[in-house]
Amino acid sequence: MASAPTVKLNNGVEIPQLGFGVYQIPDDETAAAVGSALEAGYRSIDTAAIYGNEVGVSRAVAASGLAREDLFITTKVWNADQGYDATLRAFDASLAKLGTDYVDLYLVHWPAPARDLYLDTWRALEKLAAEGRIRAAGVSNFLPAHLRRLAEHSSLVPAVNQIELHPGLQQAELRALHAEQGIATEAWSPLAQGAVLGDDAIVSAAARHGKSPAQVVIRWHLQLGNVVIPKSATPERIRENIDVLDFTLSDEEMAAIAALDRGLRTGPDPDAFN
Ligand code: NAD
């Protein structure tokens, strides 16, 4: 059974580098998908309040028989729940659905700049972290300006910024800023929801290694140092996506994939999504 390496966050907490994302999996199918993932060796699950499947995640965890401390669970506060008090209430609701008394990583899902509440939301995450109800506090979809503003108002540096990142959108500026500030880069839509799996550099590397294009892309993320959370609801693909620890892309292959960067955004622009 595969077991992913870990990345040490800026507060010493370790996150599995390869986790399982559950966006767009209906709640009543989530327990089966997460159950397959846990069986395949994933120990990190990425959900969000807005996905509506935190209960499905909790069912799979309960059925797995795994100890809570052997799992890494991420969830996120939704835009409509931003603000200090609303975030604390949303966190309690997520915990109840997840059937746990702490989460490993709690993220501000979007900066939602037009709401202008993310500094207050972040104070709520500071409190949750101080109380030990979250092991790490992070953000998602924050652009450089949002990270810099946060740093001006808080001494708590986000452990993670979870951003859209894949071979078509490589996010050089944010990755450099993260490295400077000590923030781990977590890649969402790491496969570009399939849109890069036919690219020549990826298909040819896959053929050379006897691997699938999806495995090549996930391996590329791992070699860059990204935390990565591919999603699938198909047991065979769930297993395939974690079976990436037995080969290494060459420098030439990494360079050929670097050349695929083309501003391909599959999700919303964080400056305009509220
Ligand atoms: P993804 O890039 O992981 O793509 C998933 C899709 O790729 C699947 O639905 C399937 O169609 C295809 N796929 C998966 N494995 C494959 C394989 N082995 N071979 C061929 N095709 C395969 O996209 P995603 O689900 O959008 O992102 C992954 C996770 O990131 C989500 O589940 C969620 O947890 C997180 N996410 C976070 C945000 C955010 O705003 N923070 C936004 C989107 C997603």
Side-chain angles (χ1 to χ4, degrees):
M1 190 176 74
S3 144
T6 59
V7 165
K8 194 176 274 209
L9 302 176
N10 60 20
N11 64 354
V13 167
E14 295 198 22
I15 182 172
Q17 198 182 356
L18 176 48
F20 184 65
V22 297
Y23 176 48
Q24 291 176 328
I25 306 183
D27 197 31
D28 60 353
E29 294 167 30
T30 295
V34 173
S36 294
L38 296 174
E39 227 169 78
Y42 296 79
R43 290 295 176 266
S44 168
I45 309 297
D46 182 85
T47 183
I50 195 69
Y51 300 170
N53 56 18
E54 290 168 314
V55 170
V57 170
S58 83
R59 291 211 177 101
V61 167
S64 74
L66 290 164
R68 175 66 184 87
E69 61 268 26
D70 292 333
L71 296 169
F72 193 101
I73 298 176
T74 299
T75 193
K76 315 182 187 90
V77 57
W78 184 238
N79 301 350
D81 292 318
Q82 284 223 24
Y84 185 79
D85 292 322
T87 294
L88 294 176
R89 282 195 299 274
F91 178 76
D92 285 341
S94 281
L95 270 196
K97 287 183 179 156
L98 286 165
T100 177
D101 51 12
Y102 69 95
V103 301
D104 294 277
L105 178 61
Y106 198 44
L107 302 179
V108 182
H109 204 148
W110 291 87
R115 292 179 186 263
D116 197 20
L117 287 170
Y118 64 80
L119 296 176
D120 293 338
T121 303
W122 190 246
R123 280 196 300 116
L125 267 66
E126 288 178 329
K127 174 182 161 73
L128 294 170
E131 291 172 350
R133 301 177 79 203
I134 63 180
R135 293 179 66 223
V139 296
S140 180
N141 299 301
F142 273 44
L143 297 173
H146 309 131
L147 291 175
R148 292 200 178 97
R149 182 155 172 248
L150 203 59
E152 281 166 20
H153 289 86
S154 170
S155 58
L156 181 65
V157 179
V160 164
N161 188 15
Q162 184 185 113
I163 55 174
E164 179 175 354
L165 200 177
H166 45 71
L169 183 71
Q170 299 190 17
Q171 301 271 26
E173 185 190 1
L174 267 174
R175 292 182 58 241
L177 182 61
H178 294 167
E180 203 179 287
Q181 296 194 343
I183 300 170
T185 300
E186 183 167 30
W188 67 252
S189 291
L191 305 172
Q193 298 198 332
V196 296
L197 299 181
D199 287 6
D200 276 351
I202 291 167
V203 171
S204 60
R208 272 191 299 278
H209 291 280
K211 289 283 177 177
S212 70
Q215 289 172 318
V216 165
V217 173
I218 294 165
R219 183 72 212 177
W220 171 82
H221 283 285
L222 296 182
Q223 288 183 216
L224 281 184
N226 299 336
V227 177
V228 61
I229 46 172
K231 171 248 166 183
S232 171
T234 312
E236 193 179 312
R237 285 178 168 177
I238 290 171
R239 287 190 291 273
E240 177 184 321
N241 292 349
I242 198 176
D243 180 19
V244 293
L245 304 176
D246 60 352
F247 74 110
T248 302
L249 298 170
S250 68
D251 293 346
E252 293 73 21
E253 287 166 333
M254 291 296 286
I257 299 174
L260 300 176
D261 198 11
R262 55 184 181 278
L264 174 74
R265 217 180 248 292
T266 66
D269 172 358
D271 250 338
F273 189 69
N274 294 289

